[in-house]
Amino acid sequence: MNIIVPATSANLGPGFDALGLSLKLYNEVSIQPSKFSSVSISGEGSQNPNLKRNNLFISIFNEIFSELTGKNENFRIVFDNKIPFSRGLGSSSAVIISAIASAYAMAGFKVQKSVILNKALIYENHPDNISPAVFGGFISAVVQNGAIYANKILLDESIKAVVVIPDKPMSTSSSRQILPKNYTMKECVNNLSHAAFLTSCFCEKRYDLLKIACQDMIHEERRMKALDALFDVRKTAYDNGALMSSLSGSGSSFLNIVYSDDAQNLKRVLEAKFSDFAVHIFSFDNDGFVMTQS
């Protein structure tokens, strides 16, 4: 059995812990029953030997598989990781979703996306990353009475993501600690109105209004101060055709949305100015995780 799970970009400016989308950048896992347990890793994390012993996927997979079957069995697991760690692109959500879905599949259960998503809430209590990893597209999600409710908007080929990935990671837990515990009425109203407007812009394909819609007053600039170059990334992106430029998740990556025809030029400009950072063009994923038989 194989599973691919897309990278995600969450928050999207004002949609703190509520809005996210998925990108055509994938982690892939192959898993087969085996006489002996074994783990192989290529791509991100392949140089870290501790990942074979202290592996989030294996921990969650074994827990769910045992819960479903009452058994502990051996598997050969091969990881091909393309999503960078601790860069705000949903690497941990991809691991969580792939582990749960794989456990259901290997236990002989039908893999229902709604079931996988709500099971994932045990391990990740913010729906803005795990929801697009499951369903793809642009997602608006809420948690109510311990369950996730998510609506999806398809993203078309007229826009692309130009993602700037700095060489410095940012820890989600650490970045949350710098956020205030209380916000003003002005800050809250700003984010409520802009998050609603941002969602309507994607729904109506009013991409020309995304720059207005993505204004945040709760988290983005506070987090960006940990890496001052991100302010220049945002300015440069807007000066060169970006429709929207926002911190991806808690960072350090920056998501820039452009019309498809402008993507290559923006990539060239950003690469020239920020030579220490990686810059990639991605299409948007509308499928979420996909499972196939080996």
Side-chain angles (χ1 to χ4, degrees):
M1 187 277 302
N2 295 323
I3 180 170
I4 61 168
V5 185
T8 55
S9 183
N11 297 323
L12 305 180
F16 187 60
D17 284 354
L19 302 180
L21 53 76
S22 62
L23 304 168
K24 287 189 175 181
L25 172 68
Y26 303 98
N27 281 359
E28 182 173 358
V29 183
S30 174
I31 181 167
Q32 299 293 338
S34 176
K35 291 183 179 180
F36 305 99
S37 295
S38 66
V39 175
S40 175
I41 302 173
S42 62
E44 295 286 329
S46 60
Q47 303 303 312
N48 183 354
N50 290 329
L51 276 183
K52 291 187 177 183
R53 296 188 294 271
N54 184 21
N55 188 292
L56 179 62
F57 176 101
I58 295 171
S59 174
I60 294 173
F61 175 89
N62 286 339
E63 182 176 319
I64 302 296
F65 184 84
S66 178
E67 176 186 304
L68 294 172
T69 67
K71 301 176 183 178
N72 292 308
E73 297 185 2
N74 295 321
F75 296 93
R76 170 165 172 71
I77 304 174
V78 179
F79 299 97
D80 183 11
N81 299 328
K82 297 292 194 302
I83 306 172
F85 296 159
S86 301
R87 296 296 198 281
L89 291 171
S91 61
S92 61
S93 291
V95 170
I96 291 167
I97 295 302
S98 60
I100 297 171
S102 297
Y104 271 79
M106 300 311 292
F109 285 75
K110 182 179 180 181
V111 178
Q112 298 177 291
K113 289 200 169 189
S114 60
V115 172
I116 303 306
L117 178 60
N118 281 287
K119 198 72 172 178
L121 198 56
I122 298 170
Y123 305 96
E124 169 56 75
N125 60 358
H126 304 113
D128 51 333
N129 265 318
I130 53 177
S131 298
V134 170
F135 294 118
F138 170 95
I139 295 285
S140 173
V142 298
V143 179
Q144 184 74 27
N145 297 325
I148 298 177
Y149 297 86
N151 285 332
K152 170 181 170 180
I153 297 169
L154 296 175
L155 297 167
D156 62 46
E157 286 296 321
S158 68
I159 53 173
K160 300 286 186 187
V162 180
V163 180
V164 177
I165 306 175
D167 54 355
K168 177 183 177 182
M170 284 188 181
S171 162
T172 300
S173 58
S174 297
S175 68
R176 278 187 178 271
Q177 292 174 7
I178 66 173
L179 301 180
K181 296 186 182 300
N182 299 293
Y183 290 93
T184 66
M185 178 74 77
K186 178 181 178 180
E187 290 169 327
C188 294
V189 170
N190 172 87
N191 275 52
L192 284 168
S193 59
H194 283 79
F197 188 55
L198 181 66
T199 302
S200 71
C201 287
F202 279 105
C203 187
E204 296 298 320
K205 303 187 188 305
R206 288 300 309 271
Y207 304 133
D208 58 311
L209 296 175
L210 288 177
K211 182 177 180 180
I212 294 172
C214 75
Q215 302 302 308
D216 165 79
M217 292 180 68
I218 284 181
H219 72 103
E220 193 168 81
E221 296 209 351
R222 291 178 170 98
R223 286 167 157 171
M224 288 166 64
K225 289 177 181 177
L227 186 58
D228 283 341
L230 295 179
F231 290 95
D232 200 12
V233 168
R234 184 171 64 184
K235 182 180 185 305
T236 302
Y238 278 136
D239 288 346
N240 290 274
L243 300 163
M244 171 178 168
S245 184
S246 65
L247 192 66
S248 185
S250 61
S252 56
S253 294
F254 231 78
L255 171 74
N256 304 291
I257 296 179
V258 294
Y259 288 121
S260 295
D261 291 345
D262 297 329
Q264 286 292 345
N265 179 64
L266 180 57
K267 180 177 186 288
R268 283 193 294 269
V269 171
L270 290 170
E271 282 179 327
K273 188 161 186 178
F274 304 98
S275 57
D276 290 339
F277 298 167
V279 183
H280 299 285
I281 298 172
F282 298 114
S283 295
F284 294 101
D285 169 273
N286 283 313
D287 298 319
F289 78 79
V290 175
M291 305 189 77
T292 57
Q293 292 299 317
S294 304

